Amino acid sequence: MTVSRIGLVVHAGRAEAVDAARAVRDWSAQNDVHCADIDVWQEGVRHSAQEEIEAAGDPDLIVTLGGDGTFLRGARLAAEHDALVLGVDLGRVGFLTEVPAPSVRCALDAVRDGRLNVESRMLLTMRASCRLQVPEGMEALLRYGRGPLLPPPRVRADCAIGDEWGVALNITALNDVVLEKLARDRQVSVGVYLAGRLLASYSADALLVATPTGSTAYSFAAGGPVVSPRAEALIFTPVAPHMTFNRSVVAAPDEPIALRVLERSGRAAVSIDGQLRGVLNPGDWIGVYPSPRRLRAVRLGPMDFYGRLRERMNLTDAPAAVADGSAAPLWPVRSPPPGDLAHLALPPRPNASGALPDRPTR
C-alpha cells in the first residue's frame, strides 16, 4: 500500500521508545514520507482526536511506540480518521502491540510493500442521558501521576437526539467503558439493562462493558472471561459487587448495555479506555453499544493470540497433567501442526459456488 503520511505517538518517558521514534523518522526521510509527532500532552492541555489528527497532517498510518496505553491513544486517533495503526511493542504484559522495537524499520518496509494484513476490531460508542462533564476542581484531585484530562466528549451531529434515546456522544473505546465509584467509602448503585431488559441492580466498586479486545484488560483483572479479539460481543463485568451473582455476561453485538445510576447511589465516574471523561449523578444513565467505526490494525503475519496469552500470563501446565507423561506439544503459529494434530484444523471454507475445494492428499 502507499504510505504518504505517518503520525507518531511516542511514550517519551522511555528511552527505547525515543530511539525507535528516531528510526521511524529516519525511515520516513529515506522513503520521502511525511512524518509528524502527535503530542497528546501539547502545551499542558489535551486536545480532541480530530484536533490532534489535523495538527499532524491527517496521517494515513499511526505508529505507536510504547505499551498498550500508548497504543490505545493511537487507536483513538486512527479510529477518528479511519487510518491504519501499527503498534511497536515496548510494554510488558500487553496484547495490542504488534512488532518489537528492533524490527520497526522492517515492519515499515512490509507496510510500504503491501506485505501486511489489516485486522478489523470492534469499537464501542455510547449515548448518555446528558453531556459528559468533569466538575470543576476534580481535575486537580485526579491529576496526580497523570497528564491533563481529555476534553469533554463532543455530541455526534449525525445522530438524532430524543428524550428516550439520550445524547449520542462522539466516543470510541477499544477496551472498555467503565462506570466506577468516586468516593472510596461508597459504592455505586446501578441498574444494568441488557437489550432493553433489566438484568439486576448492583452495588459495586465499578461496572464495565468491554470489547473482546478489552477482555484481557480491566475485565480480566475483575474476573471476566478471556474472549478472542476476533469475536463480536459485548462483555459486561461487575467489579467487587455486593451480591451473590458476580459473573460476567457476554451479550450479542445487537444487545446494547445500559447502566443507570440509582437514587441512593453516590456519584459515578465514566472512564473510556482508562481516561476519565465525565461524572454522573443519581438518575443519569449511559448506553454502550458497538460503534459503526472499526479499528484497522496492521498485522504482519498470523496472529497468535492464544500463544501470547500463554506467554504474557505466564501460564504453566498443571503438574497433574504432565506428571506421568509428556507435555502437550508446542509449535510456531507459522508452521503447520504436527501430523497427528492436523485433524484439529477446520475444513476449508466453501468457495463462491458453495462447493468445498479439493483437499490435497497427505
Side-chain angles (χ1 to χ4, degrees):
M1 64 167 289
T2 301
V3 177
S4 57
R5 299 177 304 279
I6 290 177
L8 276 179
V9 180
V10 185
H11 190 313
R14 303 189 63 173
E16 59 266 47
V18 175
D19 291 342
R22 191 177 299 113
V24 175
R25 295 188 195 100
D26 291 344
W27 182 93
S28 299
Q30 293 167 9
N31 288 271
D32 196 24
V33 172
H34 174 73
C35 183
D37 282 68
I38 303 177
D39 183 6
V40 296
W41 312 113
Q42 186 177 15
E43 299 170 356
V45 213
R46 290 299 295 272
H47 303 279
S48 71
Q50 185 61 44
E51 291 170 333
E52 292 169 351
I53 280 288
E54 289 173 355
D58 295 333
D60 44 33
L61 174 67
I62 304 289
V63 178
T64 71
L65 302 155
D68 277 4
T70 307
F71 186 90
L72 287 171
R73 292 199 292 273
R76 181 171 66 92
L77 302 170
E80 180 74 23
H81 194 60
D82 195 33
L84 294 174
V85 60
L86 171 67
V88 177
D89 186 11
L90 296 165
R92 297 177 179 86
V93 295
F95 285 82
L96 300 176
T97 48
E98 169 71 0
V99 298
S103 303
V104 64
R105 292 182 66 97
C106 294
L108 291 171
D109 286 340
V111 173
R112 178 199 60 199
D113 299 339
R115 293 180 282 111
L116 78 162
N117 297 315
V118 178
E119 183 180 83
S120 175
R121 290 207 178 185
M122 177 183 180
L123 298 167
L124 299 177
T125 190
M126 59 184 288
R127 288 178 177 261
S129 56
C130 57
R131 297 191 67 165
L132 294 184
Q133 298 285 345
V134 177
E136 291 185 13
M138 187 166 291
E139 178 170 357
L141 178 67
L142 298 173
R143 186 167 176 174
Y144 179 76
R146 305 184 183 187
L149 294 177
L150 285 162
R154 293 171 293 145
V155 174
R156 288 177 56 194
D158 59 331
C159 285
I161 298 176
D163 292 339
E164 70 277 18
W165 289 104
V167 179
L169 299 177
N170 191 23
I171 282 287
T172 54
L174 176 59
N175 269 353
D176 47 44
V177 175
V178 180
L179 195 63
E180 55 192 329
K181 67 180 184 180
L182 275 176
R184 186 173 183 180
D185 62 346
R186 189 172 186 182
Q187 292 190 312
V188 288
S189 297
V190 178
V192 177
Y193 297 79
L194 271 75
R197 305 294 295 176
L198 178 66
L199 173 68
S201 294
Y202 289 79
S203 179
D205 283 357
L207 303 114
L208 63 91
V209 181
T211 62
T213 296
S215 71
T216 51
Y218 191 5
S219 178
F220 176 82
V226 173
V227 180
S228 168
R230 295 175 57 190
E232 299 285 314
L234 301 175
I235 303 148
F236 163 72
T237 301
V239 181
H242 276 208
M243 59 191 299
T244 303
F245 185 75
N246 61 356
R247 305 296 192 210
S248 296
V249 177
V250 180
D254 60 352
E255 296 176 329
I257 298 176
L259 309 173
R260 178 183 291 274
V261 184
L262 300 180
E263 178 184 2
R264 296 281 184 174
S265 175
R267 292 193 299 175
V270 180
S271 296
I272 314 295
D273 282 346
Q275 295 282 334
L276 176 67
R277 303 303 301 274
V279 173
L280 299 184
N281 294 305
D284 293 335
W285 59 264
I286 59 174
V288 183
Y289 53 98
S291 170
R293 297 172 177 170
R294 306 282 296 190
L295 182 70
R296 300 197 301 141
V298 171
R299 296 294 179 223
L300 303 179
M303 183 185 177
D304 186 15
F305 172 71
Y306 301 107
R308 182 170 291 191
L309 177 68
R310 178 180 175 88
E311 174 190 337
R312 293 297 171 96
M313 296 300 176
N314 292 318
L315 300 184
T316 55
D317 303 318
V322 297
D324 299 319
S326 301
L330 289 171
W331 64 89
V333 67
R334 297 173 187 270
S335 303
D340 59 342
L341 294 179
H343 63 283
L344 296 178
L346 290 175
R349 293 182 179 180
N351 57 31
S353 66
L356 288 173
D358 293 336
R359 300 187 68 176
T361 55
R362 299 183 67 84

